[in-house]
Short mmCIF file of all heavy atoms in Angstrom, two decimals:
data_model
loop_
_atom_site.label_atom_id
_atom_site.label_comp_id
_atom_site.label_asym_id
_atom_site.label_seq_id
_atom_site.Cartn_x
_atom_site.Cartn_y
_atom_site.Cartn_z
N ASP A 147 2.20 4.17 -26.39
CA ASP A 147 1.75 2.76 -26.14
C ASP A 147 2.77 1.71 -26.41
O ASP A 147 3.05 0.85 -25.52
CB ASP A 147 0.45 2.54 -26.84
CG ASP A 147 -0.68 3.41 -26.31
OD1 ASP A 147 -0.66 4.59 -26.60
OD2 ASP A 147 -1.60 2.92 -25.67
N VAL A 148 3.32 1.71 -27.61
CA VAL A 148 4.28 0.63 -27.99
C VAL A 148 5.58 0.82 -27.18
O VAL A 148 6.08 -0.14 -26.61
CB VAL A 148 4.54 0.53 -29.44
CG1 VAL A 148 5.51 -0.56 -29.81
CG2 VAL A 148 3.25 0.34 -30.21
N PRO A 149 6.18 2.05 -27.13
CA PRO A 149 7.35 2.24 -26.38
C PRO A 149 7.26 1.90 -24.90
O PRO A 149 8.13 1.26 -24.29
CB PRO A 149 7.76 3.74 -26.56
CG PRO A 149 7.13 4.04 -27.85
CD PRO A 149 5.85 3.25 -27.89
N PHE A 150 6.08 2.22 -24.28
CA PHE A 150 5.93 1.93 -22.88
C PHE A 150 5.77 0.42 -22.66
O PHE A 150 6.22 -0.11 -21.60
CB PHE A 150 4.67 2.63 -22.36
CG PHE A 150 4.86 4.09 -21.96
CD1 PHE A 150 5.85 4.88 -22.62
CD2 PHE A 150 4.07 4.74 -21.00
CE1 PHE A 150 6.04 6.18 -22.32
CE2 PHE A 150 4.26 6.05 -20.67
CZ PHE A 150 5.25 6.82 -21.26
N CYS A 151 5.16 -0.29 -23.59
CA CYS A 151 5.10 -1.73 -23.50
C CYS A 151 6.46 -2.32 -23.52
O CYS A 151 6.79 -3.18 -22.63
CB CYS A 151 4.25 -2.23 -24.69
SG CYS A 151 4.22 -4.06 -24.79
N ALA A 152 7.30 -1.90 -24.48
CA ALA A 152 8.73 -2.43 -24.52
C ALA A 152 9.50 -2.06 -23.26
O ALA A 152 10.26 -2.89 -22.75
CB ALA A 152 9.38 -1.88 -25.75
N ASP A 153 9.34 -0.83 -22.84
CA ASP A 153 10.10 -0.41 -21.64
C ASP A 153 9.64 -1.19 -20.39
O ASP A 153 10.54 -1.53 -19.59
CB ASP A 153 9.85 1.12 -21.33
CG ASP A 153 10.46 2.03 -22.41
OD1 ASP A 153 11.26 1.58 -23.21
OD2 ASP A 153 10.11 3.24 -22.38
N CYS A 154 8.45 -1.56 -20.32
CA CYS A 154 7.99 -2.36 -19.15
C CYS A 154 8.61 -3.75 -19.21
O CYS A 154 9.08 -4.26 -18.20
CB CYS A 154 6.47 -2.49 -19.21
SG CYS A 154 5.73 -3.36 -17.82
N VAL A 155 8.58 -4.39 -20.38
CA VAL A 155 9.19 -5.72 -20.45
C VAL A 155 10.72 -5.61 -20.17
O VAL A 155 11.18 -6.49 -19.44
CB VAL A 155 8.97 -6.26 -21.96
CG1 VAL A 155 9.75 -7.60 -22.10
CG2 VAL A 155 7.52 -6.50 -22.19
N GLN A 156 11.34 -4.61 -20.58
CA GLN A 156 12.80 -4.45 -20.31
C GLN A 156 13.00 -4.15 -18.78
O GLN A 156 13.99 -4.70 -18.23
CB GLN A 156 13.39 -3.28 -21.12
CG GLN A 156 14.90 -3.06 -20.80
CD GLN A 156 15.47 -1.89 -21.64
OE1 GLN A 156 14.91 -1.57 -22.72
NE2 GLN A 156 16.50 -1.32 -21.15
N TYR A 157 12.19 -3.38 -18.19
CA TYR A 157 12.31 -3.03 -16.76
C TYR A 157 12.31 -4.37 -15.94
O TYR A 157 13.16 -4.57 -15.05
CB TYR A 157 11.17 -2.14 -16.33
CG TYR A 157 11.16 -1.73 -14.87
CD1 TYR A 157 11.85 -0.68 -14.43
CD2 TYR A 157 10.46 -2.50 -13.97
CE1 TYR A 157 11.85 -0.26 -13.11
CE2 TYR A 157 10.44 -2.17 -12.60
CZ TYR A 157 11.14 -1.09 -12.17
OH TYR A 157 11.11 -0.73 -10.86
N TYR A 158 11.33 -5.23 -16.17
CA TYR A 158 11.24 -6.46 -15.40
C TYR A 158 12.31 -7.44 -15.87
O TYR A 158 12.74 -8.23 -15.02
CB TYR A 158 9.85 -7.01 -15.49
CG TYR A 158 8.86 -6.17 -14.67
CD1 TYR A 158 8.02 -5.28 -15.35
CD2 TYR A 158 8.90 -6.21 -13.31
CE1 TYR A 158 7.19 -4.47 -14.59
CE2 TYR A 158 8.08 -5.41 -12.55
CZ TYR A 158 7.21 -4.51 -13.18
OH TYR A 158 6.38 -3.76 -12.45
N ALA A 159 12.73 -7.41 -17.09
CA ALA A 159 13.84 -8.24 -17.55
C ALA A 159 15.08 -7.95 -16.67
O ALA A 159 15.82 -8.84 -16.25
CB ALA A 159 14.13 -8.04 -18.99
N GLU A 160 15.30 -6.66 -16.48
CA GLU A 160 16.49 -6.26 -15.67
C GLU A 160 16.40 -6.69 -14.21
O GLU A 160 17.43 -6.76 -13.53
CB GLU A 160 16.66 -4.78 -15.76
CG GLU A 160 16.97 -4.21 -17.17
CD GLU A 160 18.33 -4.54 -17.61
OE1 GLU A 160 19.12 -5.12 -16.84
OE2 GLU A 160 18.70 -4.16 -18.77
N LEU A 161 15.27 -7.04 -13.71
CA LEU A 161 15.09 -7.51 -12.36
C LEU A 161 15.37 -9.03 -12.18
O LEU A 161 15.62 -9.52 -11.09
CB LEU A 161 13.64 -7.27 -11.81
CG LEU A 161 13.24 -5.84 -11.51
CD1 LEU A 161 11.79 -5.83 -11.05
CD2 LEU A 161 14.14 -5.27 -10.44
N ALA A 162 15.45 -9.69 -13.39
CA ALA A 162 15.54 -11.18 -13.30
C ALA A 162 16.70 -11.70 -12.49
O ALA A 162 16.58 -12.69 -11.75
CB ALA A 162 15.64 -11.72 -14.76
N ASP A 163 17.86 -11.04 -12.56
CA ASP A 163 19.04 -11.51 -11.82
C ASP A 163 19.34 -10.66 -10.61
O ASP A 163 20.51 -10.55 -10.14
CB ASP A 163 20.24 -11.57 -12.76
CG ASP A 163 20.57 -10.29 -13.46
OD1 ASP A 163 19.82 -9.31 -13.25
OD2 ASP A 163 21.49 -10.24 -14.27
N LYS A 164 18.32 -9.92 -10.15
CA LYS A 164 18.53 -9.05 -8.97
C LYS A 164 17.61 -9.36 -7.84
O LYS A 164 17.60 -8.62 -6.81
CB LYS A 164 18.40 -7.54 -9.44
CG LYS A 164 19.39 -7.17 -10.47
CD LYS A 164 19.18 -5.78 -11.07
CE LYS A 164 20.15 -5.50 -12.21
NZ LYS A 164 19.98 -6.35 -13.36
N MET A 165 16.72 -10.28 -8.00
CA MET A 165 15.78 -10.66 -6.87
C MET A 165 16.47 -11.70 -5.99
O MET A 165 17.04 -12.69 -6.45
CB MET A 165 14.49 -11.24 -7.53
CG MET A 165 13.73 -10.30 -8.32
SD MET A 165 12.06 -10.91 -8.89
CE MET A 165 12.62 -12.20 -9.96
N MET A 166 16.39 -11.43 -4.70
CA MET A 166 17.11 -12.27 -3.73
C MET A 166 16.20 -12.84 -2.68
O MET A 166 15.21 -12.19 -2.28
CB MET A 166 18.21 -11.49 -3.05
CG MET A 166 19.29 -11.01 -3.98
SD MET A 166 20.64 -10.17 -3.11
CE MET A 166 21.66 -9.61 -4.51
N ASP A 167 16.49 -14.01 -2.21
CA ASP A 167 15.81 -14.54 -1.05
C ASP A 167 16.38 -13.87 0.20
O ASP A 167 17.29 -13.09 0.17
CB ASP A 167 16.03 -16.04 -1.01
CG ASP A 167 15.29 -16.86 -2.07
OD1 ASP A 167 14.26 -16.26 -2.63
OD2 ASP A 167 15.74 -17.90 -2.50
N GLU A 168 15.78 -14.21 1.39
CA GLU A 168 16.15 -13.56 2.62
C GLU A 168 16.51 -14.58 3.67
O GLU A 168 16.07 -15.75 3.62
CB GLU A 168 15.06 -12.65 3.14
CG GLU A 168 14.63 -11.57 2.14
CD GLU A 168 13.39 -10.78 2.61
OE1 GLU A 168 13.18 -10.76 3.84
OE2 GLU A 168 12.70 -10.24 1.74
N VAL A 169 17.26 -14.14 4.65
CA VAL A 169 17.53 -14.98 5.83
C VAL A 169 16.96 -14.26 7.05
O VAL A 169 17.27 -13.08 7.30
CB VAL A 169 19.07 -15.18 6.00
CG1 VAL A 169 19.33 -15.98 7.27
CG2 VAL A 169 19.65 -15.92 4.82
N ALA A 170 16.11 -15.00 7.78
CA ALA A 170 15.43 -14.36 8.91
C ALA A 170 16.35 -14.43 10.16
O ALA A 170 17.13 -15.35 10.35
CB ALA A 170 14.12 -15.09 9.21
N PRO A 171 16.23 -13.42 11.05
CA PRO A 171 17.01 -13.42 12.24
C PRO A 171 16.46 -14.36 13.30
O PRO A 171 15.46 -13.99 13.98
CB PRO A 171 16.95 -12.00 12.72
CG PRO A 171 15.71 -11.46 12.14
CD PRO A 171 15.44 -12.17 10.84
N VAL A 172 17.00 -15.58 13.39
CA VAL A 172 16.46 -16.51 14.36
C VAL A 172 17.58 -16.97 15.27
O VAL A 172 18.66 -16.32 15.37
CB VAL A 172 15.79 -17.74 13.62
CG1 VAL A 172 14.56 -17.32 12.87
CG2 VAL A 172 16.80 -18.38 12.67
N GLY A 173 17.41 -18.06 16.01
CA GLY A 173 18.37 -18.53 17.02
C GLY A 173 19.73 -18.96 16.43
O GLY A 173 19.82 -19.17 15.23
N PRO A 174 20.74 -19.11 17.29
CA PRO A 174 22.07 -19.38 16.80
C PRO A 174 22.25 -20.81 16.18
O PRO A 174 23.23 -20.99 15.49
CB PRO A 174 22.93 -19.25 18.07
CG PRO A 174 21.98 -19.47 19.19
CD PRO A 174 20.70 -18.96 18.70
N LYS A 175 21.30 -21.70 16.47
CA LYS A 175 21.43 -23.03 15.90
C LYS A 175 20.34 -23.31 14.84
O LYS A 175 19.95 -24.45 14.64
CB LYS A 175 21.41 -24.07 16.97
CG LYS A 175 22.65 -24.04 17.90
CD LYS A 175 22.63 -25.13 18.91
CE LYS A 175 23.91 -25.07 19.81
NZ LYS A 175 23.91 -26.11 20.84
N ASP A 176 19.82 -22.29 14.25
CA ASP A 176 18.77 -22.41 13.30
C ASP A 176 19.09 -21.52 12.11
O ASP A 176 19.62 -20.44 12.25
CB ASP A 176 17.39 -22.01 13.87
CG ASP A 176 16.98 -22.88 14.98
OD1 ASP A 176 16.51 -24.03 14.63
OD2 ASP A 176 17.00 -22.49 16.17
N LEU A 177 18.69 -22.00 10.93
CA LEU A 177 18.81 -21.15 9.77
C LEU A 177 17.43 -21.11 9.05
O LEU A 177 16.89 -22.15 8.66
CB LEU A 177 19.83 -21.75 8.79
CG LEU A 177 19.93 -21.08 7.39
CD1 LEU A 177 20.43 -19.62 7.54
CD2 LEU A 177 20.87 -21.92 6.49
N ALA A 178 16.81 -19.95 8.95
CA ALA A 178 15.50 -19.75 8.35
C ALA A 178 15.65 -18.95 7.08
O ALA A 178 15.98 -17.76 7.16
CB ALA A 178 14.50 -19.10 9.32
N ILE A 179 15.42 -19.62 5.98
CA ILE A 179 15.51 -18.94 4.68
C ILE A 179 14.11 -18.65 4.20
O ILE A 179 13.21 -19.50 4.23
CB ILE A 179 16.27 -19.85 3.68
CG1 ILE A 179 17.68 -20.18 4.11
CG2 ILE A 179 16.29 -19.19 2.30
CD1 ILE A 179 18.35 -21.21 3.27
N LEU A 180 13.89 -17.39 3.76
CA LEU A 180 12.59 -16.98 3.16
C LEU A 180 12.79 -16.98 1.64
O LEU A 180 13.48 -16.10 1.13
CB LEU A 180 12.21 -15.62 3.63
CG LEU A 180 11.51 -15.53 5.01
CD1 LEU A 180 12.46 -16.02 6.13
CD2 LEU A 180 11.15 -14.08 5.39
N ARG A 181 12.20 -17.97 1.01
CA ARG A 181 12.37 -18.09 -0.43
C ARG A 181 11.11 -17.56 -1.11
O ARG A 181 9.98 -17.79 -0.70
CB ARG A 181 12.56 -19.55 -0.80
CG ARG A 181 13.76 -20.19 -0.19
CD ARG A 181 14.02 -21.57 -0.74
NE ARG A 181 14.18 -21.51 -2.22
CZ ARG A 181 14.36 -22.62 -2.98
NH1 ARG A 181 14.35 -23.82 -2.42
NH2 ARG A 181 14.51 -22.47 -4.25
N ARG A 182 11.32 -16.86 -2.24
CA ARG A 182 10.22 -16.43 -3.06
C ARG A 182 10.02 -17.41 -4.21
O ARG A 182 10.97 -17.70 -4.96
CB ARG A 182 10.49 -15.00 -3.65
CG ARG A 182 10.52 -13.88 -2.60
CD ARG A 182 10.86 -12.60 -3.25
NE ARG A 182 10.74 -11.45 -2.36
CZ ARG A 182 11.68 -11.08 -1.48
NH1 ARG A 182 12.85 -11.69 -1.48
NH2 ARG A 182 11.47 -10.06 -0.70
N GLU A 183 8.78 -17.94 -4.36
CA GLU A 183 8.54 -18.88 -5.38
C GLU A 183 7.34 -18.45 -6.26
O GLU A 183 6.37 -17.83 -5.73
CB GLU A 183 8.28 -20.26 -4.77
CG GLU A 183 9.44 -20.82 -4.03
CD GLU A 183 9.24 -22.30 -3.58
OE1 GLU A 183 8.14 -22.82 -3.78
OE2 GLU A 183 10.20 -22.84 -3.09
N PRO A 184 7.37 -18.71 -7.56
CA PRO A 184 6.23 -18.36 -8.39
C PRO A 184 4.94 -19.07 -8.02
O PRO A 184 4.98 -20.20 -7.44
CB PRO A 184 6.72 -18.74 -9.81
CG PRO A 184 7.74 -19.78 -9.58
CD PRO A 184 8.44 -19.47 -8.32
N LEU A 185 3.84 -18.47 -8.38
CA LEU A 185 2.55 -19.11 -7.97
C LEU A 185 2.18 -20.26 -8.87
O LEU A 185 1.58 -21.25 -8.40
CB LEU A 185 1.44 -18.03 -8.01
CG LEU A 185 1.56 -16.85 -7.12
CD1 LEU A 185 0.50 -15.84 -7.30
CD2 LEU A 185 1.53 -17.37 -5.61
N GLY A 186 2.41 -20.17 -10.19
CA GLY A 186 2.03 -21.20 -11.09
C GLY A 186 1.47 -20.66 -12.39
O GLY A 186 2.19 -20.07 -13.16
N VAL A 187 0.16 -20.78 -12.53
CA VAL A 187 -0.52 -20.34 -13.73
C VAL A 187 -1.26 -19.04 -13.43
O VAL A 187 -2.13 -19.04 -12.50
CB VAL A 187 -1.54 -21.35 -14.29
CG1 VAL A 187 -2.30 -20.80 -15.46
CG2 VAL A 187 -0.77 -22.68 -14.70
N VAL A 188 -0.92 -17.94 -14.09
CA VAL A 188 -1.53 -16.65 -13.86
C VAL A 188 -2.42 -16.35 -15.10
O VAL A 188 -1.99 -16.40 -16.21
CB VAL A 188 -0.47 -15.60 -13.73
CG1 VAL A 188 -1.10 -14.16 -13.70
CG2 VAL A 188 0.35 -15.79 -12.48
N ALA A 189 -3.69 -15.97 -14.81
CA ALA A 189 -4.59 -15.50 -15.83
C ALA A 189 -4.62 -13.95 -15.76
O ALA A 189 -4.88 -13.41 -14.69
CB ALA A 189 -6.03 -16.07 -15.61
N ALA A 190 -4.28 -13.34 -16.85
CA ALA A 190 -4.32 -11.87 -16.95
C ALA A 190 -5.43 -11.45 -17.84
O ALA A 190 -5.44 -11.82 -19.01
CB ALA A 190 -2.95 -11.43 -17.48
N ILE A 191 -6.32 -10.69 -17.29
CA ILE A 191 -7.54 -10.22 -18.04
C ILE A 191 -7.40 -8.71 -18.09
O ILE A 191 -7.36 -8.01 -17.10
CB ILE A 191 -8.81 -10.67 -17.38
CG1 ILE A 191 -8.83 -12.19 -17.29
CG2 ILE A 191 -9.99 -10.13 -18.15
CD1 ILE A 191 -10.07 -12.70 -16.50
N VAL A 192 -7.33 -8.16 -19.36
CA VAL A 192 -6.97 -6.74 -19.54
C VAL A 192 -8.01 -6.04 -20.33
O VAL A 192 -8.75 -6.64 -21.06
CB VAL A 192 -5.59 -6.65 -20.21
CG1 VAL A 192 -4.45 -7.27 -19.40
CG2 VAL A 192 -5.59 -7.20 -21.63
N PRO A 193 -8.09 -4.75 -20.22
CA PRO A 193 -9.10 -3.91 -20.79
C PRO A 193 -8.74 -3.46 -22.20
O PRO A 193 -7.66 -3.67 -22.69
CB PRO A 193 -9.29 -2.75 -19.87
CG PRO A 193 -7.89 -2.51 -19.37
CD PRO A 193 -7.28 -3.88 -19.29
N TRP A 194 -9.63 -2.63 -22.82
CA TRP A 194 -9.47 -2.23 -24.14
C TRP A 194 -8.88 -0.87 -24.31
O TRP A 194 -8.57 -0.38 -25.44
CB TRP A 194 -10.81 -2.28 -24.98
CG TRP A 194 -11.94 -1.69 -24.22
CD1 TRP A 194 -12.95 -2.35 -23.66
CD2 TRP A 194 -12.32 -0.25 -24.08
NE1 TRP A 194 -13.89 -1.49 -23.09
CE2 TRP A 194 -13.48 -0.20 -23.41
CE3 TRP A 194 -11.67 0.92 -24.50
CZ2 TRP A 194 -14.10 1.04 -23.05
CZ3 TRP A 194 -12.25 2.11 -24.21
CH2 TRP A 194 -13.46 2.19 -23.50
N ASN A 195 -8.66 -0.13 -23.26
CA ASN A 195 -8.19 1.29 -23.41
C ASN A 195 -6.74 1.45 -23.67
O ASN A 195 -6.30 2.28 -24.43
CB ASN A 195 -8.69 2.17 -22.27
CG ASN A 195 -8.18 1.61 -20.91
OD1 ASN A 195 -7.90 0.42 -20.73
ND2 ASN A 195 -8.09 2.49 -19.95
N TYR A 196 -5.93 0.61 -22.98
CA TYR A 196 -4.46 0.57 -23.21
C TYR A 196 -4.01 -0.88 -23.35
O TYR A 196 -3.29 -1.36 -22.45
CB TYR A 196 -3.71 1.30 -22.10
CG TYR A 196 -4.00 2.80 -22.01
CD1 TYR A 196 -4.97 3.26 -21.18
CD2 TYR A 196 -3.25 3.70 -22.79
CE1 TYR A 196 -5.22 4.67 -21.06
CE2 TYR A 196 -3.50 5.03 -22.73
CZ TYR A 196 -4.48 5.49 -21.89
OH TYR A 196 -4.75 6.86 -21.77
N PRO A 197 -4.37 -1.57 -24.40
CA PRO A 197 -4.09 -3.01 -24.37
C PRO A 197 -2.64 -3.39 -24.32
O PRO A 197 -2.32 -4.30 -23.47
CB PRO A 197 -4.69 -3.42 -25.79
CG PRO A 197 -5.69 -2.37 -26.12
CD PRO A 197 -5.12 -1.11 -25.51
N LEU A 198 -1.78 -2.72 -25.00
CA LEU A 198 -0.35 -3.07 -24.99
C LEU A 198 0.27 -2.74 -23.65
O LEU A 198 0.96 -3.54 -23.03
CB LEU A 198 0.40 -2.35 -26.03
CG LEU A 198 0.35 -2.97 -27.45
CD1 LEU A 198 0.92 -2.06 -28.50
CD2 LEU A 198 1.15 -4.30 -27.48
N ILE A 199 0.01 -1.54 -23.09
CA ILE A 199 0.61 -1.13 -21.87
C ILE A 199 0.16 -2.01 -20.66
O ILE A 199 1.01 -2.49 -19.92
CB ILE A 199 0.27 0.38 -21.62
CG1 ILE A 199 0.99 1.27 -22.65
CG2 ILE A 199 0.71 0.78 -20.19
CD1 ILE A 199 0.66 2.74 -22.54
N ILE A 200 -1.14 -2.20 -20.56
CA ILE A 200 -1.64 -2.94 -19.43
C ILE A 200 -1.28 -4.42 -19.59
O ILE A 200 -1.03 -5.09 -18.55
CB ILE A 200 -3.16 -2.61 -19.23
CG1 ILE A 200 -3.33 -1.18 -18.95
CG2 ILE A 200 -3.70 -3.49 -18.05
CD1 ILE A 200 -4.74 -0.73 -18.75
N SER A 201 -1.28 -4.97 -20.74
CA SER A 201 -0.84 -6.35 -20.90
C SER A 201 0.63 -6.52 -20.46
O SER A 201 0.95 -7.47 -19.73
CB SER A 201 -0.91 -6.80 -22.43
OG SER A 201 -2.27 -6.87 -22.78
#
Side-chain angles (χ1 to χ4, degrees):
D147 294 70
V148 181
F150 279 28
C151 174
D153 290 349
C154 182
V155 173
Q156 179 178 336
Y157 179 88
Y158 288 103
E160 295 288 357
L161 286 179
D163 56 1
K164 300 172 183 66
M165 296 186 294
M166 297 184 183
D167 293 333
E168 301 173 25
V169 177
V172 293
K175 294 183 180 180
D176 295 284
L177 175 64
I179 301 172
L180 278 60
R181 300 187 59 182
R182 292 178 174 87
E183 297 190 353
L185 296 176
V187 176
V188 173
I191 301 176
V192 299
W194 47 257
N195 56 335
Y196 293 95
L198 277 169
I199 292 175
I200 298 177
S201 292

